[in-house]
Amino acid sequence: MKKLLLTITLLLCGIITFAQENSYSVIKGVCLDDRNKALENVGIYSIDSILLAVSDESGRFTLFSSKENDSIFASHLAYNTVNHIIKKEDFTKDLILKMEISSTILPEIEIIGNIPRVAYDNKVISIEDYEINEKGIYMIAKRRRNAALLHLNFSCDTLKEIKISNKFYNIYKDIYGEMHLVSNKEVWQIGHLMKKNDFMEMRLLYHSSLENFLKAFSNVACATDSIVVTGHYFFYNTELYYNYYNTDGDKKPNLLRHIVNYEGRDLAINMKKFGSFENASDMFQRPIYNPIFKTDTALVLFSFDEDKTIIYNHLGEYIKEKPLTFHKYKHWSGKMKVIQKWNRKVILDEATSTFYTTFSEDGITTIKKIDVKKGTAETVSVLGGFPFIENLRIHNGKAYFLYANDYTNNKRLYEVEIN
């Protein structure tokens, strides 16, 4: 009898101990920055680098089957790694992991502290496309059964909304900053009825076919009050002619710049000579990249094939040129080669007349500000935790982009200060 009671007692103790251990197996926690703001996409790892959890948009995470005295660490590209040894009290209250902004400089990547946040917070919709001008932000918002065109201010408050067909997929901003709603067959200009400075109503105004719209705008690069600049590609996109036309009624083209990619042209000539050019013509479908922009004071042409930045006045008259170096590096052969991580992209912040470019590595985008006078570029933001962003725009010192980071795959609009 005593043996039976002893056995039952031992079993009960074991059950109680097992229950206690299981009650302590789950830990709930939150990741915060030094200003107590939630940190999203922080990886929580075990001591042997096994991913245990990822913090959500509220900074929260859950650890399962954890034990007292286990070592874990929190990792984020823009913050210093935080190590923590699990204590008994962590099972009964939230584990708070405070993270400080990193000042570490990795090869070719300087970590910048600002973290992107959701600018327009509506999980029900997916943003198909968006554009920005001085009037605000325009978005195509798609729900499960319908779509809408939204006009937001720069605080991302909705000013106006109209229902549109699901067939519209793109918002195009023309050289004058006007917005157009685009489908596979037609284009509508987005207009406003205004009373003084207030937006009273948003409407779809002038309508044209997509074919006619492309004829009117596809070759137009930029415009001032005095001239319109057009770009035309020749010889399988290896040569680019920029011409300008005076807006005073003279329709005669004036040559602004002729740019040639000699390496690509020589390759095309050699391939054509040996009779295999037609089969490999897809190699030359991508045009050479030498964009021109209008600012408040000048026309700025980034001639990457000539390694020059060329400045013109608003009449198309040459002013000066500067070296352009940020897109190349010195190869071991002694030749200057284009950096493969460079995205061949220049972005103009029209509100500040500041130029930016982007580099990508493993899907992570680095934004650099271009020094037009020196031809160099300085890192201003690394969008860590947001791989393969879409539709990057910059306005008034803020970068905007689309990103889908939850199970719904809905694209959301993010913003981050970069100045």
Side-chain angles (χ1 to χ4, degrees), residues 191-419:
H192 295 277
L193 293 179
M194 299 186 66
K195 186 176 181 180
K196 294 184 178 180
N197 293 324
D198 295 328
F199 296 98
M200 303 301 294
E201 187 177 350
M202 181 168 59
R203 290 182 177 180
L204 299 183
L205 301 176
Y206 310 109
H207 168 263
S208 69
S209 68
L210 180 61
E211 181 181 3
N212 290 335
F213 184 81
L214 291 176
K215 288 179 181 178
F217 284 101
S218 60
N219 293 322
V220 179
C222 64
T224 71
D225 292 337
S226 303
I227 63 172
V228 175
V229 180
T230 63
H232 298 271
Y233 291 93
F234 293 92
F235 205 84
Y236 297 94
N237 296 327
T238 62
E239 295 187 36
L240 172 60
Y241 284 87
Y242 274 125
N243 297 313
Y244 69 90
Y245 298 79
N246 294 310
T247 58
D248 60 3
D250 181 11
K251 302 300 182 181
K252 179 182 177 181
N254 302 278
L255 180 63
L256 188 76
R257 194 77 177 184
H258 175 211
I259 303 171
V260 181
N261 180 287
Y262 289 101
E263 184 177 355
R265 189 175 67 171
D266 291 344
L267 178 61
I269 291 172
N270 289 334
M271 295 184 70
K272 189 174 182 181
K273 183 187 301 183
F274 291 103
S276 60
F277 187 74
E278 289 76 12
N279 296 330
S281 60
D282 288 345
M283 293 178 61
F284 304 96
Q285 294 304 306
R286 184 179 182 181
I288 56 176
Y289 185 67
N290 301 275
I292 187 169
F293 299 89
K294 170 192 169 291
T295 68
D296 291 336
T297 58
L299 296 177
V300 182
L301 169 59
F302 292 91
S303 181
F304 291 108
D305 285 286
E306 299 175 295
D307 300 333
K308 297 177 181 179
T309 302
I310 307 165
I311 313 297
Y312 303 88
N313 65 19
H314 280 194
L315 299 175
E317 297 169 340
Y318 171 88
I319 299 177
K320 59 185 175 182
E321 58 188 52
K322 298 289 183 179
L324 191 56
T325 61
F326 72 79
H327 62 302
K328 288 189 175 181
Y329 71 100
K330 191 170 184 179
H331 190 255
W332 60 265
S333 64
K335 295 182 178 180
M336 297 300 292
K337 298 284 187 179
V338 175
I339 299 172
Q340 294 301 310
K341 297 173 186 176
W342 176 50
N343 292 338
R344 287 176 169 78
K345 179 182 292 186
V346 174
I347 303 171
L348 172 61
D349 182 342
E350 295 177 351
T352 63
S353 294
T354 306
F355 292 98
Y356 298 85
T357 189
T358 60
F359 292 74
S360 293
E361 183 174 15
D362 297 327
I364 299 299
T365 297
T366 298
I367 303 174
K368 295 189 177 185
K369 185 187 331 186
I370 300 173
D371 186 329
V372 175
K373 294 180 179 179
K374 297 180 181 178
T376 57
E378 176 187 3
T379 298
V380 293
S381 187
V382 179
L383 305 181
F386 295 85
F388 304 104
I389 64 171
E390 298 180 34
N391 297 39
L392 179 65
R393 308 277 188 267
I394 299 176
H395 184 83
N396 201 23
K398 280 187 179 181
Y400 299 83
F401 61 88
L402 298 182
Y403 187 70
N405 69 338
D406 56 23
Y407 64 92
T408 64
N409 286 324
N410 286 343
K411 295 178 184 177
R412 303 172 74 186
L413 181 68
Y414 284 76
E415 67 177 9
V416 59
E417 294 275 358
I418 59 174
N419 283 342

Side-chain angles (χ1 to χ4, degrees), residues 136-150:
I137 304 171
Y138 297 79
M139 301 192 315
I140 298 176
K142 293 199 172 180
R143 303 177 179 88
R144 181 175 297 180
R145 295 182 180 178
N146 54 56
L149 174 66
L150 305 181

